[in-house]
Amino acid sequence: MAKIDKRFQILLTEEEMMLLKSESSKRGVSQGELLRLALRNEIVQKSDLSKQRAIQNLMELLD
């Protein structure tokens, strides 16, 4: 796992905070780790999916 050495501050609504606490408790991970997982899922995986779709589209054009 990468070294965690940067801090980021975020303001959440009461509802978001309750959801975060509940979900982190269910998963047995810290709230910070859950937010890092959500960030990776939302940005990194979707970015990878976009790249895969672009490659697939190019391959279809070349066929």
Side-chain angles (χ1 to χ4, degrees), residues 31-58:
Q31 293 171 20
E33 180 61 17
L34 184 57
L35 288 171
R36 287 187 289 275
L37 287 168
L39 176 67
R40 285 192 294 273
N41 287 336
E42 182 62 26
I43 295 175
V44 176
Q45 287 184 3
K46 284 189 177 180
S47 177
D48 289 346
L49 181 59
S50 294
K51 289 176 191 174
Q52 290 173 352
R53 285 182 181 153
I55 291 170
Q56 186 176 27
N57 288 340
L58 286 172

Side-chain angles (χ1 to χ4, degrees), residues 23-38:
E23 191 63 27
S24 68
S25 178
K26 283 183 205 173
R27 294 182 186 209
V29 298
S30 70
Q31 293 171 20
E33 180 61 17
L34 184 57
L35 288 171
R36 287 187 289 275
L37 287 168

